[in-house]
Amino acid sequence: MFIDNKILVGKSNEKELYILPNMANRHGLITGASGSGKTITLKVMAESFSSAGVPVFLADVKGDLAGMCLPGENNEKIQERLLKLGIAETFAFQSFPTIFWDVYGQSGHPIRTTVSSIGSTILSRMLGLTEAQAGVLAIAFKIAKDTNKELVDLKDLRLLLQDVGEKRSEYTTSYGNVSVQSIGGIQRSILMLQEQGGDCFFGEPSIDVKDFLKFDTESGYGNINILHAAELFKQPILYSCFMLWLLTYLSQNMPEVGDLDKPKIVFFFDEAHLLFDDMPKYMLTQVTQVVKLIRSKGIGLYFISQTPNDIPNEIQAQLGNRVQHTLRAYTPAEQKIVKAVASSFRINPEFDTEEAIMALGTGEALVTFLNEKGEPGIVEKVTILPPQSKMGTIEESVRATVINNSRFKGKYDKLIDRKTAFEIIQEEKQVEQHMQQEAEQQMYSNPSANTPSDAPTPTNSSANTTPKGMFSNNTNTYNSTTTTNTNANTTTTTNTTTQTTIPSTDNANNQKTTNSRKSNSGNTGRTTGKTTKKKKSIAEKAFTKTTNSALTTLGRKIGNGLYKMFFK
């Protein structure tokens, strides 16, 4: 209840325990066993913040917070408590401006975000990926950013992963190794998420968090934004990742404002242990940093769970306003927890804190809030005020009326599917296919385009004699003439004509015919040893040269023959 510019939470005899609005962004913690009154405390604080003009966001995992849209009803138990607290005359039942939200869009306005916005880190946790798979997912996000492929929904991500897998050899040197096995594992996890209804969370129009900061124009009360999480809570990983995304997104997008007279918005995270269960150390470090810095942006965070041990010590150290309901200690482990909780409070000499924790009744709590100097107050045993709005669930007809009368009716209802990564990759694949088809058609229609332009042109000779075989009908003849002058008693001129027969197709047995004619009168058939060696060297060179040229021609002819055989 908001009284004298302070948030009254509970009373004990003549003592009243308030949260100071300018200290509300120092965060808080509400803990206690099941049925001890945590939900009532949450409602009282949320209503008081709303009355102070501070918008509130909270998750309703059981459906019993929706009654804030209706005024409460008096009964004997409530009247007895009001008399005990001495506020029967000033207490008034009333409703509060309420906005219903729902990830699935069934019991509230849809809440969506884009795949790019949620980021690879939180999405990896949502999908339950291994370290290697998370690395590949981070590479895919980086490639999407560098190539201007916006990831909006899961179909964008799935096609991007397929494209990255197909082109992984191109990306390895620039981004790192991408294995097909990792991509297959990610695709499988995405499919499971879709079957759980997780694809409803991704899409456009994405939620504008500034809509959570609105006020009721008539009363000036801050809106109470209720996330209907009864269905979402059945998927604990999806629920926790949504809340982590919301926390991270606010930290990244809200401006710095310093210390204000009151927060810009207060968030209540019910079942907070789900946020931190099995959280990797690197992610816990990031969340801790967010909790430390987000207060400078005018945001207060309040975690609700059964025991303080559900919250990591690094986070607990940042929570200045605390409400501790009863804890049960039947085992040595539970007794150890109670002792640790008791030691976290400033000692009150009027009672034993450890015994008081186990003796608290329903609706009672040990409370410590920050004073004007930001110091934790001495722990006090108090009775929590009753809520001013209706307790319990509401009829679906009432919920529908609130949704239809909301200022956000129609803003997020219609899903938008614009050109994003899915369409861009499809267009790229179509262009690649078209270019490949054109290249193939051009090659088949003009096969001579692939023939080397510098290949030697053979001269056909029908006079050559070639051994009979499968290539004996088509031969090519090359001529080479060499003149050798030898200085001796007799001058000898030798004209050597070498005829090499190369088959037009692959044939390992090349035929070489050499006709030698000596034009020296009276000395026919006479050749020196030196001339014989030179002739042998010249013949070898001629053979090598003509063989290399013939093999080039041979390959061309084989290709042309195969083309005619299969495509003509």
Side-chain angles (χ1 to χ4, degrees):
M1 199 163 95
F2 188 62
I3 301 176
D4 299 331
N5 202 33
K6 293 182 290 186
I7 295 171
L8 178 62
V9 177
K11 292 187 66 175
S12 175
N13 298 327
E14 300 300 324
K15 295 181 180 179
E16 296 180 338
L17 274 294
Y18 296 93
I19 295 178
L20 301 177
N22 63 334
M23 292 294 167
N25 66 336
R26 304 298 177 92
H27 313 318
L29 178 65
I30 303 172
T31 54
S34 297
S36 59
K38 298 190 301 296
T39 301
I40 296 299
T41 302
L42 187 159
K43 287 193 68 170
V44 171
M45 293 175 66
E47 292 172 355
S48 301
F49 279 119
S50 177
S51 300
V54 178
V56 173
F57 185 96
L58 53 88
D60 186 8
V61 298
K62 293 179 287 186
D64 54 356
L65 297 177
M68 291 184 177
C69 64
L70 297 175
E73 299 175 354
N74 199 359
N75 56 46
E76 292 184 3
K77 289 185 177 180
I78 292 179
Q79 190 64 32
E80 181 181 349
R81 180 175 293 190
L82 293 175
L83 292 172
K84 178 181 178 181
L85 297 173
I87 57 173
E89 296 181 359
T90 57
F91 186 88
F93 294 101
Q94 62 174 320
S95 62
F96 293 85
T98 305
I99 308 295
F100 290 112
W101 303 94
D102 185 5
V103 169
Y104 299 103
Q106 298 175 354
S107 299
H109 303 296
I111 290 185
R112 305 185 193 92
T113 187
T114 64
V115 174
S116 296
S117 176
I118 201 169
S120 64
T121 301
I122 295 179
L123 186 58
S124 295
R125 177 173 169 80
M126 186 181 294
L127 296 173
L129 302 183
T130 64
E131 184 176 351
Q133 292 169 347
V136 171
L137 185 64
I139 289 174
F141 269 70
K142 178 61 175 173
I143 291 173
K145 182 179 180 181
D146 292 346
T147 56
N148 296 321
K149 294 182 178 70
E150 187 176 1
L151 302 175
V152 172
D153 51 24
L154 293 180
K155 76 175 189 299
D156 290 331
L157 180 59
R158 295 199 67 176
L159 190 58
L160 174 70
L161 288 169
Q162 180 182 337
D163 188 60
V164 170
E166 293 171 353
K167 301 176 180 177
R168 60 188 180 278
S169 59
E170 302 176 18
Y171 296 127
T172 298
T173 56
S174 300
Y175 297 94
N177 292 329
V178 177
S179 68
V180 177
Q181 292 80 2
S182 293
I183 290 181
I186 298 171
Q187 294 280 34
R188 182 174 60 251
S189 297
I190 294 175
L191 181 61
M192 294 174 61
L193 180 63
Q194 288 177 313
E195 291 179 350
Q196 295 171 0
D199 53 349
C200 297
F201 177 51
F202 300 100
E204 288 182 325
S206 56
I207 188 68
D208 182 1
V209 294
K210 292 181 180 178
D211 288 340
F212 297 153
L213 308 179
K214 303 298 182 181
F215 303 84
D216 181 69
T217 54
E218 295 182 1
S219 63
Y221 284 11
N223 284 342
I224 297 180
N225 299 276
I226 299 179
L227 173 66
H228 182 75
E231 289 297 322
L232 183 64
F233 188 69
K234 295 177 182 178
Q235 309 296 336
I237 296 297
L238 186 59
Y239 168 75
S240 63
C241 288
F242 169 79
M243 301 302 281
L244 283 174
W245 164 78
L246 187 59
L247 181 64
T248 305
Y249 189 83
L250 286 167
S251 175
Q252 293 173 348
N253 293 276
M254 295 291 286
E256 294 280 345
V257 294
D259 291 327
L260 303 175
D261 293 337
K262 59 184 179 182
K264 297 184 69 173
I265 188 172
V266 171
F267 280 83
F268 290 90
F269 293 89
D270 200 3
E271 301 295 340
H273 66 91
L274 294 176
L275 299 177
F276 307 106
D277 285 349
D278 301 322
M279 179 177 285
K281 187 174 181 180
Y282 74 91
M283 186 178 289
L284 177 60
T285 302
Q286 294 177 0
V287 174
T288 303
Q289 191 70 8
V290 168
V291 174
K292 287 180 179 180
L293 300 178
I294 202 170
R295 74 176 186 85
S296 64
K297 302 190 176 188
I299 299 174
L301 306 175
Y302 288 75
F303 298 92
I304 300 94
S305 194
Q306 292 195 3
T307 71
N309 283 5
D310 294 334
I311 313 299
N313 293 331
E314 300 91 331
I315 304 294
Q316 282 195 54
Q318 308 301 317
L319 311 179
N321 302 300
R322 300 194 177 198
V323 178
Q324 177 64 60
H325 290 275
T326 187
L327 290 176
R328 302 178 180 92
Y330 301 119
T331 66
E334 292 174 338
Q335 294 172 1
K336 186 176 180 181
I337 292 175
V338 171
K339 184 174 294 186
V341 172
S343 64
S344 66
F345 291 104
R346 285 184 63 184
I347 297 175
N348 189 329
E350 296 181 3
F351 58 87
D352 183 279
T353 306
E354 184 176 344
E355 292 181 358
I357 290 175
M358 294 184 290
L360 292 170
T362 301
E364 296 180 335
L366 297 182
V367 175
T368 177
F369 297 139
L370 298 179
N371 58 24
E372 294 84 352
K373 297 180 180 180
E375 301 170 343
I378 295 175
V379 63
E380 297 288 351
K381 181 179 177 181
V382 302
T383 301
I384 303 298
L385 271 64
Q388 296 173 276
S389 61
K390 175 181 172 60
M391 292 189 292
T393 60
I394 60 174
E395 298 290 336
E396 287 301 316
S397 58
V398 176
R399 183 187 296 273
T401 300
V402 173
I403 293 172
N404 291 329
N405 293 335
S406 168
R407 68 168 74 181
F408 304 115
K409 174 65 177 178
K411 181 175 181 179
Y412 299 104
D413 296 346
K414 187 176 180 180
L415 188 65
I416 299 174
D417 189 11
R418 59 184 178 86
K419 183 178 180 180
T420 53
F422 184 83
E423 290 75 17
I424 294 173
I425 294 173
Q426 278 191 328
E427 289 180 0
E428 289 179 352
K429 288 182 178 293
Q430 290 174 358
V431 170
E432 290 174 0
Q433 274 185 337
H434 182 67
M435 292 178 64
Q436 185 176 359
Q437 290 173 356
E438 284 188 345
E440 290 177 354
Q441 290 175 359
Q442 184 177 4
M443 182 182 68
Y444 295 151
S445 61
N446 186 19
S448 61
N450 296 325
T451 303
S453 59
D454 57 346
T457 303
T459 58
N460 294 328
S461 174
S462 60
N464 296 321
T465 303
T466 305
K468 290 183 179 181
M470 61 181 297
F471 303 109
S472 60
N473 293 329
N474 188 12
T475 58
N476 299 323
T477 302
Y478 297 86
N479 299 319
S480 64
T481 303
T482 305
T483 303
T484 305
N485 297 322
T486 305
N487 295 322
N489 294 328
T490 303
T491 302
T492 304
T493 302
T494 304
N495 295 324
T496 304
T497 302
T498 303
Q499 294 182 340
T500 304
T501 303
I502 303 298
S504 59
T505 54
D506 188 17
N507 184 10
N509 298 319
N510 295 319
Q511 301 296 324
K512 183 174 71 172
T513 304
T514 305
N515 298 320
S516 300
R517 184 179 58 187
K518 300 177 182 179
S519 57
N520 189 15
S521 60
N523 294 313
T524 303
R526 182 179 176 182
T527 307
T528 63
K530 187 175 182 180
T531 304
T532 303
K533 292 181 179 179
K534 287 189 176 183
K535 286 196 297 181
K536 184 177 180 181
S537 175
I538 293 170
E540 287 178 352
K541 291 181 180 179
F543 176 77
T544 302
K545 181 177 180 180
T546 54
T547 300
N548 292 339
S549 299
L551 288 175
T552 302
T553 306
L554 174 62
R556 183 180 74 241
K557 290 183 176 292
I558 291 175
N560 291 341
L562 291 175
Y563 173 77
K564 291 178 181 180
M565 182 182 299
F566 292 102
F567 300 100
K568 293 295 183 178

